[in-house]
Amino acid sequence: MDASRLQGIGMTSRRTRERLAMRLGDAGITDVHVLNVIRQIPRHLFVDEALASRAYEDTALPIGHGQTISQPFVVARMTEILIRYGIPQKVLEIGTGSGYQAAVLAALVPQLHTIERIRPLHTRSQALFRQLGIHNIRQRLGDGHLGWPGAAPFDAIVLTAAPAIIPPALFEQLADGGQLLAPVGDDRGQRLIVYRRLGEEIEEEAVEDVSFVPMLEGTQR
Ligand code: SAH
């Protein structure tokens, strides 16, 4: 990506980002910190240049390898939920993809860890974070079913790919009082569910119907 593309953020994108933030506000996103981050992050850099003009529409877009960058409303909603009891210090994301959700979170929390199973997506997001000067993200190429035991416990865990059931390792790596947010289901239907760990108990609350790519096993190199 060349410098002109970064500078191209200019007036147009700032205005279109403002419009997106306003639209998300109308759609029910109330957290001003989240809306401010949506205003700041250049989402067009997280999609293919051919799709850049559509980057500020409230839709999911393809990012190659059969994957998608999540819809801005869903990113905002998930982020809002993750910070509702205060800012979690250390967060784990499963499914780096384009890196957009990671960049949004990293603007709000001190430490973000993210795992991606497809090498080219892992590599591309790594370059983008560096280019944008984002330094509080640690990345790993691997299978998110295993979590990141060496960095656990996490104050929050977010899945951006849908498992049929939550991998047990992830609950084990969730701190007491922490939230785990995930789309759960299959191609017949998914619901965004927020789990909260309270001692040995797990509290569960369904948020809304969603449509994410499936969480898959193994690593694609
Ligand atoms: N958060 C991303 C969403 C990308 S789509 C964004 O903002 O763009 C979900 C991503 O999850 C895909 O890139 C997919 O490859 C990845 N994924 C699916 N199963 C996974 C697994 N077991 N471990 C790690 N990543 C996984």
Side-chain angles (χ1 to χ4, degrees), residues 173-190:
Q173 293 173 30
L174 186 62
D176 196 9
Q179 299 188 93
L180 185 153
L181 183 56
V184 180
D186 52 31
D187 49 11
R188 285 164 304 176
Q190 295 170 10

Side-chain angles (χ1 to χ4, degrees), residues 35-218:
L35 291 173
N36 278 335
V37 171
I38 298 283
R39 283 188 184 93
Q40 282 157 26
I41 306 221
R43 189 170 183 260
H44 66 282
L45 300 182
F46 292 81
V47 298
D48 193 82
E49 224 159 328
L51 292 170
S53 65
R54 301 191 52 201
Y56 299 103
E57 293 172 15
D58 188 20
T59 53
L61 292 169
I63 54 171
H65 311 275
Q67 307 305 318
T68 53
I69 180 172
S70 307
Q71 182 192 350
F73 176 79
V74 175
V75 170
R77 188 83 188 95
M78 288 173 70
T79 307
E80 186 172 72
I81 290 169
L82 287 171
I83 64 173
R84 66 181 169 177
Y85 299 121
I87 300 291
Q89 293 300 297
K90 204 201 298 176
V91 178
L92 174 66
E93 178 196 33
I94 310 294
T96 317
S98 69
Y100 181 68
Q101 170 78 76
V104 168
L105 279 169
L108 293 163
V109 310
Q111 284 183 59
L112 184 78
H113 291 66
T114 182
I115 306 175
E116 171 56 54
R117 63 180 291 280
I118 299 179
R119 182 184 286 278
L121 294 177
H122 165 77
T123 313
R124 203 201 295 157
S125 57
Q126 202 165 33
L128 191 50
F129 297 148
R130 200 175 306 129
Q131 192 175 4
L132 291 171
I134 302 172
H135 298 299
N136 58 336
I137 299 180
R138 285 182 65 195
Q139 290 181 261
R140 173 174 281 187
L141 175 70
D143 183 349
H145 285 89
L146 308 173
W148 193 322
F154 297 96
D155 304 303
I157 298 179
V158 57
L159 281 63
T160 66
I165 55 158
I166 304 295
L170 299 182
F171 280 132
E172 283 160 22
Q173 293 173 30
L174 186 62
D176 196 9
Q179 299 188 93
L180 185 153
L181 183 56
V184 180
D186 52 31
D187 49 11
R188 285 164 304 176
Q190 295 170 10
R191 297 187 96 182
L192 187 60
I193 299 188
V194 49
Y195 302 87
R196 188 166 191 217
R197 178 173 192 157
L198 298 165
E200 291 313 300
E201 305 273 291
I202 302 278
E203 232 174 43
E204 183 179 330
E205 177 196 335
V207 182
E208 60 203 23
D209 290 346
V210 285
S211 177
F212 278 81
V213 296
M215 185 167 180
L216 302 175
E217 303 273 345

